[in-house]
Amino acid sequence: MTFILRRQVEFNHCDPAGIVFYPRYFEMISAVTERFFADGVGVSWAEMQQTGFGTPMGHIDTRFLAPSRLGDWLSFALEVREIGRSSVTVAIAGTCEAEARFDCTATMIHAHPSDAASAPWPDTLRRAMTRYAHQPSEA
């Protein structure tokens, strides 16, 4: 299963030419992962924070493939690639009407924000994330 989120490119995302300023993609990626945990996994970042945990970004690798412009509707497709003891690696593809705009691989860590110590995923979160695990296509 793939987690999908659609968002329209807004004025605040763009440079004076009306093209998405690349650091704004990282804000969009953060928004997609936040919605993934809230809507896909069933535990919002606010709920995690109340229990003393967070999911800081440990690594992100992004390729920008084509510009996005003010008013474009972007689809973000997130799939879980790997779930570790205290990390999860996801692949996110950003498209507009089937044209690839960017792709990224991001690893988030389940951690205590106060001391940055990682902690194992609770079984309920691990099971929920597993539903979005990438399923290789058969040749």
Side-chain angles (χ1 to χ4, degrees), residues 14-122:
C14 298
D15 63 17
I19 297 171
V20 172
F21 181 47
Y22 76 92
R24 300 295 179 241
Y25 279 119
F26 293 103
E27 293 171 351
M28 293 179 200
I29 290 165
S30 180
V32 171
T33 58
E34 183 172 358
R35 296 299 350 138
F36 168 69
F37 277 101
D39 302 335
V41 176
V43 179
S44 71
W45 282 355
E47 292 167 322
M48 273 191 231
Q49 191 175 43
Q50 290 170 359
T51 64
F53 291 96
T55 56
M57 192 66 67
H59 180 86
I60 190 165
D61 184 26
T62 306
R63 292 184 319 152
F64 303 103
L65 304 166
S68 296
R69 300 185 188 315
L70 181 62
D72 283 352
W73 277 94
L74 301 179
S75 291
F76 302 90
L78 181 153
E79 290 184 335
V80 171
R81 292 299 166 104
E82 183 179 349
I83 303 172
R85 181 189 77 81
S86 59
S87 66
V88 62
T89 300
V90 299
I92 302 173
T95 61
C96 179
E97 297 180 12
E99 179 186 28
R101 299 298 173 86
F102 78 89
D103 59 38
C104 88
T105 303
T107 301
M108 293 163 283
I109 312 300
H110 184 246
H112 300 279
S114 59
D115 62 6
S118 66
W121 290 107

